[in-house]
Amino acid sequence: MLFSNITVFMPSVLMLIGIPGLESVQCWIGIPFCAMYLIAMIGNALLLVIIRSERSLHQPMYIFLAMLGATDIVLATSIMPKMLGVFWFHLPDINFDCCLFQMWLIHTSQAIESGILLAMALDRYVAICYPLRHATIFTTQLVTQIGAAVTLRAAILVAPCLVLIKCRFQFYHTTVISHSYCEHMAIVKLAAGNVRVNKIYGLFVALTVAGVDLTFITLSYIQIFITVFNLPQKEARLKAFNTCVAHICVFLQFYLLALFTSLTHRFGSHIPQWIHILFSSFYLLVPPFLNPLVYGIKTKQIRINVVKICCSFYSVLSSLCNIVIFQEKPQQ
């Protein structure tokens, strides 16, 4: 219901316009996005299957990796179907409550991923700095508790963002979101009211999650590098460092992308809006896309099991082809 010429009272539906300025080529932009999404889904699902089925991988490092894969699936799936609907089928409308739920899923998944990366860094710290105590410290019970704590922390911290939007704002300047997904500040900017509290709380959540996690991850790796470089044998140093390479790659791409996106949003006022939106979308999709590739390439146990699954699939496919050919010959 229109309240005036410039405000809308409690809109039930919002509109996502995708990438402002690139509307005419969004159908083409959707192709690489869709390809990355499919690779992310297949790669992370394959990781989950391998880790679940292979008993030798039932270790803290791989359990955390499974948690990361599940989080990546939720994160990518929370944005891509609707984004492709906007890009390909011109379906910009989204229910207001669904938009808030998508926002909650996105930011909660990001916070969970950050917490899991911290847990993986602490696991490597204990494994390298205190190898004899690793099995007694990182028990299955502790790993489960860490996973639950990381999830609860993210859900509880992000939930007030929904409450603040839902309860504080009744009137909105517009129902059009200049974005390809429902992001916190993109929704807040629609409101016709004082948004200072929402901005402050959003910044508080970002600093609480990324600031704390990044600090402890950095401290963990400083101690890891000190321990590794003090090892007497070169082979031992290389082996210890090699166990951390995959995690370091994932850690760097996650936080560097986050830092770049944050800096361009806050200090890149001269940068066109479509660049902001495009990089924000890539920021959410690149980690789910790269994580299974990085761990699949750098982790020997996972790489071996991927080859086994591919060989098994090839054998089944060859058997089916032989059966079909054998059945067709008598008919000829």
Side-chain angles (χ1 to χ4, degrees), residues 12-310:
S12 59
V13 176
L14 300 175
M15 289 180 58
L16 291 164
I17 64 173
I19 305 175
L22 297 180
E23 290 87 353
S24 60
V25 295
Q26 284 184 162
C27 59
W28 300 106
I29 294 174
I31 295 175
F33 273 73
C34 182
M36 291 173 67
Y37 173 66
L38 292 176
I39 293 172
M41 292 300 99
I42 295 171
N44 284 294
L46 198 57
L47 275 181
L48 291 176
V49 170
I50 290 172
I51 293 171
R52 179 179 174 81
S53 60
E54 188 64 36
R55 292 189 62 85
S56 63
L57 299 181
H58 293 179
Q59 303 173 26
M61 174 183 173
Y62 299 106
I63 295 173
F64 286 134
L65 179 55
M67 294 179 187
L68 191 68
T71 304
D72 283 338
I73 290 174
V74 173
L75 177 60
T77 304
S78 65
I79 61 169
M80 280 311 301
K82 183 59 185 177
M83 191 183 294
L84 293 177
V86 175
F87 288 173
W88 286 349
F89 307 108
H90 307 291
L91 300 172
D93 292 351
I94 183 170
N95 182 274
F96 185 82
D97 291 333
C98 290
C99 190
L100 290 182
F101 181 65
Q102 185 191 55
M103 180 199 79
W104 180 81
L105 270 182
I106 291 169
H107 295 303
T108 299
S109 298
Q110 288 178 300
I112 292 173
E113 185 154 349
S114 179
I116 294 172
L117 290 176
L118 171 58
M120 295 173 78
L122 294 176
D123 171 68
R124 291 300 86 201
Y125 165 71
V126 175
I128 292 173
C129 298
Y130 304 98
L132 299 179
R133 298 174 58 187
H134 180 261
T136 57
I137 293 175
F138 273 88
T139 61
T140 303
Q141 183 180 2
L142 179 63
V143 171
T144 304
Q145 291 173 347
I146 290 174
V150 165
T151 304
L152 283 175
R153 181 193 69 161
I156 292 171
L157 279 175
V158 178
C161 293
L162 280 71
V163 177
L164 288 172
I165 292 174
K166 193 73 174 177
C167 298
R168 294 190 71 241
F169 304 131
Q170 291 185 328
F171 301 100
Y172 292 79
H173 292 301
T174 179
T175 59
V176 178
I177 302 177
S178 298
H179 216 299
S180 55
Y181 59 88
C182 294
E183 192 265 340
H184 177 243
M185 286 309 302
I187 301 173
V188 168
K189 288 177 181 178
L190 305 180
N194 188 349
V195 300
R196 186 177 180 182
V197 173
N198 298 73
K199 287 184 176 181
I200 292 173
Y201 186 77
L203 186 60
F204 165 75
V205 173
L207 291 176
T208 301
V209 174
V212 172
D213 293 353
L214 188 57
T215 300
F216 281 104
I217 289 174
T218 303
L219 291 174
S220 297
Y221 271 97
I222 289 173
Q223 291 297 319
I224 288 172
F225 289 145
I226 292 173
T227 302
V228 168
F229 291 136
N230 286 332
L231 291 174
Q233 296 179 341
K234 182 179 178 180
E235 293 78 8
R237 291 198 297 269
L238 290 175
K239 184 178 179 181
F241 183 74
N242 192 52
T243 63
C244 302
V245 169
H247 178 66
I248 292 172
C249 293
V250 170
F251 155 70
L252 287 176
Q253 60 90 11
F254 179 81
Y255 284 105
L256 287 178
L257 279 172
L259 179 63
F260 179 79
T261 303
S262 177
L263 290 176
T264 54
H265 270 290
R266 284 167 174 77
F267 305 109
S269 56
H270 61 286
I271 300 176
Q273 188 181 17
W274 66 267
I275 294 180
H276 290 293
I277 307 302
L278 194 61
F279 272 99
S280 295
S281 302
F282 270 116
Y283 163 59
L284 293 185
L285 193 57
V286 166
F289 166 73
L290 283 182
N291 289 351
L293 296 179
V294 170
Y295 280 104
I297 292 171
K298 297 301 297 182
T299 309
K300 182 179 179 181
Q301 294 93 325
I302 293 176
R303 188 166 63 246
I304 291 172
N305 281 278
V306 169
V307 172
K308 286 181 181 178
I309 290 176
C310 291

